[in-house]
Amino acid sequence: MTTTSEKLLNIENLVLHFKTSGGSVQAVDGVDFELGTNRAVVILGESGCGKTSLSKALLRLLPRNVDKYSGKVFLQNQDVMLLNDEEYRQNVRWVGISLVPQAAMNALNPVLKVGDQVAEPAMIHLGLSKAEAYGLVYKMFQHVGVPADFVARYPFELSGGMRQRVALAMALVTSPSLIVLDEPTSALDLLTQANIMNVLKRIKHELGTSFILITHDIATSSELADEVAIMYAGQIVENGDAKDFFPAPLHPYSQMLMASVPRLRSDSDPMFITGQPPSLMNPPAGCRFAARCPFRFEKCSQEPPVFQKGNRKVKCWLYQ
Amino acid sequence: MNADMITELRKGNNMTVEIKESRETLLSIRDLHVWYELRRFGFGRAGYVKAVDNVSFELAEGETVAVVGESGCGKSSLMKTILGLNIPTSGEVVFDGKNLAQLKASELRDYRFEIGYVQQDPYGALPPFMTVQQILEEPLIISGVKNKEERLERIRKAMDEVKLHPSDDFLPKFPHMLSGGQQQRIVIARAMILQPRLIVADEPVSMLDASVRVEILKLMRALQEKYHLSVIYITHDLSTVKYFSARIFVMYAGNLIEKADTRQLLDNPLHPYTTALLAATSDPDAHNADSYKEVPPGEPPSLANPPKGCRFHPRCSKIINGLCDEKEPVEFEPVPEHFVACWLYQPK
Ligand SMILES: Nc1ncnc2c1ncn2[C@@H]1O[C@H](COP(=O)(O)OP(=O)(O)OP(=O)(O)O)[C@@H](O)[C@H]1O
Ligand SMILES: Nc1ncnc2c1ncn2[C@@H]1O[C@H](COP(=O)(O)OP(=O)(O)OP(=O)(O)O)[C@@H](O)[C@H]1O
Ligand code: SF4
Ligand code: SF4
Ligand SMILES: [Mg+2]
Ligand SMILES: [Mg+2]
């Protein structure tokens, strides 16, 4: 429903495969989705389905053993995949898209004051002096709820929740229009998680930032989601508005995944999905979910295309 | 049609826990304190980390309870003390009428065979250089099962119980060759193999994916019912508790602050901290994104220097000034069998 002009991000057929001694790992295998300005999409999927790899592909943070990296990534209508590494570093990473990596709160530099760490990207990528950068640091600390005097502290002097807020402040300090968050709350306590989700909501509201929230925590993800994309074995199998998705997921995998979530406020009996996701080394031909799908039929031995159902997308033959 | 299929898949797998008639007490914890000494070098007096403070409860034969609380509140310290791995600073652990402190070394060893421990973090729980067979054989050898055939027999049975078949395929494998869910089944099989009467499960599913989590919880439930085991289930996830435990104990900063039947506690939480935990627990719902959550300010206190009076008072919106910040609350029972350590419930 977003018109082209307010479309912030458009990903087409993004592919990232890794070379290993056993063969090529197809961690991201033809991912498409788009995101509007000031919107949040959550990417949900089980461990190993390729979520972190997708964030790496998006930010071009590639390991050495890349086997294949291709596709189109339009950021504000510019295909950033066409930029060379230097142009990408200068124009896209940090200033366009920031990443809060998985376990970021444990990746802060232990021997640097957190204020200096947050100031650094503003100095490097915005060309600010240290004093100017610190002006932004204080502003960001306020947005994420870190007391101003914490700038002089070292990471070990902060709780996990506070360190996670610092990591978030660091991603924000360059005013990117999009922030990619990889499992931002999964290592945190319940009340801290709820606090961080509040902070993200407030930033979205106050700064107009867009988010890609990558997680396997379905319940918590609904705190921020405008849109949902379900990832399975390297591919997006369903994508649509959160208000449509949560009450009635379409793809059989989405349905079973949602049914596996224990709920506090209902007595529905959670179920589980038998079997395991396929290996990404040699994914089966046809629908990758077929081996675990109770609805599979003859057609499913061919790879399903993405079908449009209303304003939702689903990669399953049931919706032909 | 899809909904029908899912209903079909759910059949025969109902998880709601019925509360059974009370039975023989298996475990009783009385005024337990577990304090770790803080060592300071140079000058200064050593203090204590009061990880478990003034905890009492009873657990019946075949009963399941959940201990719920945030990181660092003392859950693992409590469990390790029950397992006999920590020595209580004061108070008693009485198992089957025997006081742990009075057991001889050999008796303590036998005692440990009566408890199966499913520890936090399945990935760290299994020794990486041992095969599944070696992992499961070890407790049998230690407990004195001399006959190799008998050991293999019991290993196969345990693997059958946790639905790892064909067992011969798994026996020669190393942990890294197994999925997270399979590794956790091995951990459970190891906990079950000496036929314990009590299982202590410390966050048994928190590292697993949602789809596998429920499977493991159901498996543990089935074993609990089949063998009439007592289970202490430690978790920070309130949404899984009702599927597994008849009672809930809520722990905050070393204290058990609320104890009640699961249904009662979820429907009528009394302690302000419990209320906050429940409010912070999300169910997947797109409308969650429309509003902010109410969360108590601040963070749990340091256990080396907990706040005076009620340990929750610096964060509590219902604080009674002059009382809560001065006097540690005692346990009240405003509803029969529903205990809460909070001054709000002091009878007038
Ligand atoms: N550099 C690499 N070389 C080879 N394989 C890799 C590499 N990085 C990731 N993989 C593999 O790619 C797959 C996807 O990994 P990824 O980390 O993207 O999953 P994820 O969805 O983020 O999982 P989690 O929820 O556990 O974080 C996995 O099978 C992983 O082992
Ligand atoms: N051996 C020890 N010596 C000193 N302090 C300890 C020791 N073990 C635990 N503690 C401290 O005691 C407190 C309670 O720890 P415990 O591991 O029991 O918490 P927990 O509730 O299990 O936390 P989590 O949910 O993170 O596992 C913490 O402050 C911890 O740092
Ligand atoms: S394409 Fe076929 S196998 Fe795949 S999810 Fe749809 S029905 Fe199931
Ligand atoms: S005792 Fe007082 S401070 Fe503690 S939880 Fe109750 S009302 Fe709040
Ligand atoms: Mg990841
Ligand atoms: Mg613990």
Side-chain angles (χ1 to χ4, degrees):
Chain A
M1 300 242 277
T2 30
T3 63
T4 340
S5 61
E6 50 181 350
K7 200 183 289 169
L8 176 70
L9 180 76
N10 190 3
I11 299 175
E12 289 174 16
N13 199 19
L14 189 61
V15 169
L16 177 59
H17 295 177
F18 303 115
K19 223 178 301 176
T20 68
S21 55
S24 179
V25 177
Q26 308 181 13
V28 180
D29 203 33
V31 163
D32 296 289
F33 68 89
E34 52 182 58
L35 184 65
T37 300
N38 199 15
R39 301 273 290 173
V41 59
V42 302
I43 298 187
L44 288 170
E46 289 173 88
S47 183
C49 73
K51 302 182 297 295
T52 296
S53 304
L54 174 59
S55 74
K56 290 185 173 154
L58 249 176
L59 278 126
R60 212 190 278 189
L61 293 167
L62 306 175
R64 293 226 177 110
N65 60 332
V66 171
D67 190 36
K68 189 173 175 207
Y69 178 48
S70 64
K72 293 185 159 69
V73 176
F74 293 96
L75 184 68
Q76 278 146 344
N77 296 322
Q78 181 194 19
D79 186 355
V80 299
M81 290 292 274
L82 301 175
L83 302 177
N84 68 34
D85 284 351
E86 190 49 39
E87 290 167 334
Y88 186 93
R89 218 183 348 257
Q90 284 190 357
N91 303 316
V92 182
R93 204 178 298 141
W94 293 102
V95 292
I97 314 177
S98 283
L99 171 70
V100 179
Q102 196 160 3
M105 59 187 213
N106 300 325
L108 294 170
N109 188 331
V111 299
L112 283 184
K113 291 180 181 143
V114 295
D116 287 359
Q117 294 189 58
V118 175
E120 190 181 287
M123 292 160 67
I124 294 176
H125 297 278
L126 306 180
L128 301 182
S129 70
K130 188 161 179 179
E132 289 167 330
Y134 255 86
L136 288 180
V137 172
Y138 286 119
K139 227 164 108 185
M140 293 310 138
F141 271 27
Q142 199 171 7
H143 278 297
V144 300
V146 176
D149 59 323
F150 278 33
V151 289
R153 295 203 185 183
Y154 292 92
F156 75 88
E157 298 176 290
L158 304 184
S159 67
M162 279 296 158
R163 276 183 277 133
Q164 188 63 347
R165 288 168 198 244
V166 167
L168 195 56
M170 202 190 302
L172 276 168
V173 76
T174 46
S175 315
S177 40
L178 174 64
I179 296 186
V180 180
L181 304 154
D182 193 357
E183 304 278 6
T185 62
S186 52
L188 299 171
D189 269 320
L190 195 63
L191 296 185
T192 317
Q193 277 186 13
N195 261 317
I196 297 278
M197 294 316 287
N198 276 344
V199 168
L200 294 174
K201 281 179 205 180
R202 200 170 316 115
I203 291 167
K204 180 163 172 272
H205 192 69
E206 290 172 0
L207 302 179
T209 315
S210 291
F211 290 101
I212 296 178
L213 170 61
I214 291 173
T215 181
H216 64 266
D217 184 345
I218 298 165
T220 306
S221 80
S222 72
E223 295 289 336
L224 192 68
D226 297 309
E227 287 154 47
V228 176
I230 301 293
M231 192 161 184
Y232 187 77
Q235 303 176 327
I236 303 282
V237 296
E238 177 167 0
N239 184 202
D241 206 281
K243 298 234 162 32
D244 299 326
F245 176 85
F246 282 113
L250 296 175
H251 195 282
Y253 174 63
S254 318
Q255 291 176 357
M256 294 173 81
L257 190 65
M258 288 299 292
S260 75
V261 183
R263 283 154 208 257
L264 188 62
R265 291 163 192 82
S266 95
D267 279 329
S268 68
D269 188 27
M271 49 168 275
F272 52 86
I273 310 177
T274 48
Q276 284 167 47
S279 153
L280 294 178
M281 209 96 87
N282 258 319
C287 173
R288 293 188 177 178
F289 187 57
R292 305 166 84 185
C293 180
F295 308 109
R296 87 179 152 262
F297 58 113
E298 309 83 68
K299 207 71 203 218
C300 306
S301 56
Q302 296 163 46
E303 184 175 346
V306 175
F307 295 103
Q308 188 85 30
K309 186 146 193 299
N311 54 6
R312 310 166 70 180
K313 295 194 176 91
V314 53
K315 190 177 168 66
C316 166
W317 284 115
L318 291 175
Y319 298 92
Q320 189 173 16
Chain B
M1 158 186 116
N2 295 355
D4 285 347
M5 186 66 106
I6 287 186
T7 317
E8 188 63 28
L9 287 166
R10 275 188 179 136
K11 263 189 198 154
N13 235 337
N14 201 294
M15 279 187 85
T16 319
V17 178
E18 299 138 45
I19 297 153
K20 308 224 171 74
E21 283 303 299
S22 54
R23 292 144 295 210
E24 299 277 295
T25 299
L26 181 67
L27 176 73
S28 118
I29 305 295
R30 297 177 193 150
D31 296 323
L32 190 70
H33 293 72
V34 181
W35 293 4
Y36 301 108
E37 209 174 326
L38 269 180
R39 286 174 209 284
R40 284 222 186 88
F41 295 100
F43 62 93
R45 46 202 161 82
Y48 294 95
V49 176
K50 299 174 181 173
V52 176
D53 219 33
N54 205 8
V55 163
S56 303
F57 66 85
E58 307 224 311
L59 182 70
E61 195 93 53
E63 194 188 11
T64 50
V65 302
V67 178
V68 177
E70 290 177 277
S71 184
C73 72
K75 304 182 294 296
S76 296
S77 301
L78 174 59
M79 293 317 134
K80 285 183 185 149
T81 314
I82 293 171
L83 288 159
L85 301 172
N86 276 346
I87 295 171
T89 312
S90 69
E92 291 177 348
V93 177
V94 179
F95 185 86
D96 205 15
K98 290 180 290 261
N99 187 335
L100 229 57
Q102 284 151 16
L103 296 183
K104 293 198 279 287
S106 66
E107 291 172 320
L108 195 61
R109 201 197 63 161
D110 291 343
Y111 164 72
R112 291 208 185 111
F113 296 151
E114 305 236 41
I115 307 185
Y117 184 31
V118 178
Q119 72 204 76
Q120 204 165 2
D121 182 12
Y123 305 102
L126 297 174
F129 300 114
M130 282 167 83
T131 62
V132 167
Q133 174 164 355
Q134 289 167 331
I135 289 167
L136 294 178
E137 204 163 13
E138 191 178 45
L140 293 169
I141 294 172
I142 295 173
S143 73
V145 183
K146 299 238 161 52
N147 183 312
K148 176 107 191 157
E149 274 311 303
E150 186 190 339
R151 290 201 300 263
L152 214 57
E153 181 80 12
R154 282 177 70 173
I155 290 171
R156 292 220 171 85
K157 182 156 179 289
M159 291 180 67
D160 207 46
E161 299 278 16
V162 298
K163 305 208 167 54
L164 281 175
H165 15 224
S167 54
D168 286 347
D169 284 4
F170 288 98
L171 287 175
K173 288 197 170 163
F174 291 94
H176 72 90
M177 300 171 171
L178 306 174
S179 71
Q182 289 169 339
Q183 290 186 25
Q184 198 58 317
R185 285 161 202 259
I186 299 290
V187 174
I188 294 170
R190 183 176 60 180
M192 291 288 299
I193 203 159
L194 296 179
Q195 297 165 332
R197 294 160 74 191
L198 169 66
I199 294 272
V200 173
D202 193 351
E203 303 269 13
V205 296
S206 61
M207 306 284 281
L208 301 173
D209 270 314
S211 63
V212 189
R213 213 174 266 186
V214 172
E215 186 177 12
I216 297 291
L217 283 177
K218 287 189 175 185
L219 174 71
M220 290 182 51
R221 247 308 279 297
L223 292 172
Q224 186 271 327
E225 284 179 347
K226 183 168 170 193
Y227 293 105
H228 199 61
L229 296 168
S230 303
V231 178
I232 303 178
Y233 169 50
I234 302 172
T235 183
H236 62 269
D237 183 0
L238 274 164
S239 60
T240 60
V241 167
K242 66 171 177 283
Y243 304 110
F244 199 70
S245 305
R247 274 199 296 164
I248 304 186
F249 302 159
V250 182
M251 192 160 188
Y252 184 78
N255 300 135
L256 293 187
I257 51 116
E258 187 162 1
K259 295 182 261 188
D261 283 341
T262 300
R263 197 69 271 168
Q264 164 70 12
L265 188 130
L266 295 180
D267 291 345
N268 301 297
L270 297 179
H271 197 284
Y273 176 67
T274 311
T275 317
L277 277 186
L278 285 167
T281 305
S282 308
D283 282 335
D285 181 341
H287 297 287
N288 289 342
D290 301 338
S291 57
Y292 293 100
K293 276 222 154 107
E294 217 163 293
V295 190
E299 281 162 8
S302 144
L303 294 180
N305 189 13
K308 197 173 170 207
C310 170
R311 293 182 177 188
F312 190 58
H313 89 254
R315 310 174 71 188
C316 183
S317 60
K318 300 235 168 87
I319 179 171
I320 307 165
N321 284 308
L323 178 61
C324 300
D325 48 355
E326 289 292 335
K327 270 178 78 179
E328 203 167 313
V330 292
E331 197 167 76
F332 300 109
E333 191 179 355
V335 180
E337 296 300 308
H338 190 154
F339 302 94
V340 59
C342 167
W343 287 120
L344 293 175
Y345 300 95
Q346 184 175 30
K348 299 271 141 53

